[in-house]
Amino acid sequence: MDFNTVFDYEDVQLIPNLGILESRSQADTSVKLGRYTFKLPVVPANMQTVIDEPLAKHLAANGYFYVMHRFEPSKRLDFVKSMQSEQLIASISVGIKPEEYQFIDDLKSAGLVPEFITVDVAHGHAVPVIDMVRYIKKTLPDSFVIAGNLATAEAVRDLENAGADATKVGVGPGKACITKLKTGFGTGGWQLAALRLCAKAAKKPIITDGGIRHNGDIAKSIRFGATMCMIGSLFAGHDETPGDIVEINGDKFKMYFGSASQFQKGEYKHVEGKKLLVPYRGSIDTTLREIKEDLQSSISYSGGRELADLKRVDYVIVKNSISNGDTY
């Protein structure tokens, strides 16, 4: 792997091709993950300030992917029951503590098989994560298992070999993450290059997680190998997302904090996240529609008809001093 050629979203521009669509609205933004097809290649971050049960139901009922957070563990079994009783997909998160193994056993005993299970750990390239992935695939083989978070091609290969059906790439690039400041590690500042490296090694889908600040970054993620994009700050702040609206000098905001923040943990211990306010954005449906329209425009610029056509466009690095102006 070449760790010397690094870049991030703001350093890259995609190069247009001859357009073939009569209207951008003809572009298909749908994506398949596992046995299911979703309207967009985006998923709100599985954070307590971004997703809750009502929003999960809203997204699932309208054809969007979601991952429920793991921070109310006692409610997860009932959540799976509730979603599946309404003929909606159940997509949950688990950790790696001993009680999580019991939870997987409880799901099996209750005859419940979530359609998606995400093993959600900040440092996913770890033996306990590999062990948990193997246990889930052994106990609930029909569940689609997503494992993360990862930063290297080696990590992707190890988790795929353990049985993960998809991997999640991104260590600390999120807006509420301070991992690189607290630990010196992570993909903050080179998340797009990390995605590129991991995608070259992957045989299964990759979900890029963190670092996306603008809708155009979604198209760039697809170009560099992502099947799905997990987004935190851009999806926070809506009517449907958890939390109260805060008004400051006439402007409206909502609270947003990282999963490794003291506000999530309830104590200042191994903190790698912070709390911040994000602008109030109204209905999440408006944001989803805007993302769709912008992606349709991206597909049009690519000279194609669907998301896969974004993978074949050229790009230029416009800021990175190592490869300034190089086209690939």
Side-chain angles (χ1 to χ4, degrees), residues 1 125 130 150 152-164 167 197-198 200-204:
M1 283 190 302
H125 192 200
I130 290 172
L150 313 177
T152 66
E154 179 185 7
V156 169
R157 284 191 289 264
D158 285 346
L159 270 298
E160 285 187 349
N161 289 338
T167 54
L197 291 168
C198 290
K200 285 187 173 184
K203 296 181 180 179
K204 299 175 182 177

Side-chain angles (χ1 to χ4, degrees), residues 33-96:
L33 186 66
R35 302 190 303 271
Y36 299 89
T37 298
F38 301 99
K39 289 182 178 178
L40 289 173
V42 298
V43 54
N46 51 339
M47 303 164 70
Q48 205 165 4
T49 50
V50 178
I51 186 81
D52 60 8
E53 183 169 342
L55 180 54
K57 289 188 175 182
H58 177 77
L59 293 170
N62 286 281
Y64 301 104
F65 186 48
Y66 77 93
V67 179
M68 187 61 179
H69 65 75
R70 60 179 171 83
F71 300 109
E72 295 176 304
S74 63
K75 296 182 178 181
R76 287 178 301 185
L77 196 143
D78 286 338
F79 173 79
V80 174
K81 286 181 181 178
S82 176
M83 296 297 288
Q84 294 184 338
S85 69
E86 297 182 33
Q87 305 300 307
L88 300 173
I89 66 164
S91 176
I92 61 171
S93 302
V94 300
I96 54 175

Side-chain angles (χ1 to χ4, degrees), residues 101 119 127-140 145 158-159 161-164:
Y101 286 85
V119 183
V127 172
V129 177
I130 290 172
D131 290 343
M132 176 56 81
V133 168
R134 287 174 173 160
Y135 191 78
I136 295 172
K137 293 306 293 184
K138 176 183 176 182
T139 309
L140 300 171
V145 175
D158 285 346
L159 270 298
N161 289 338

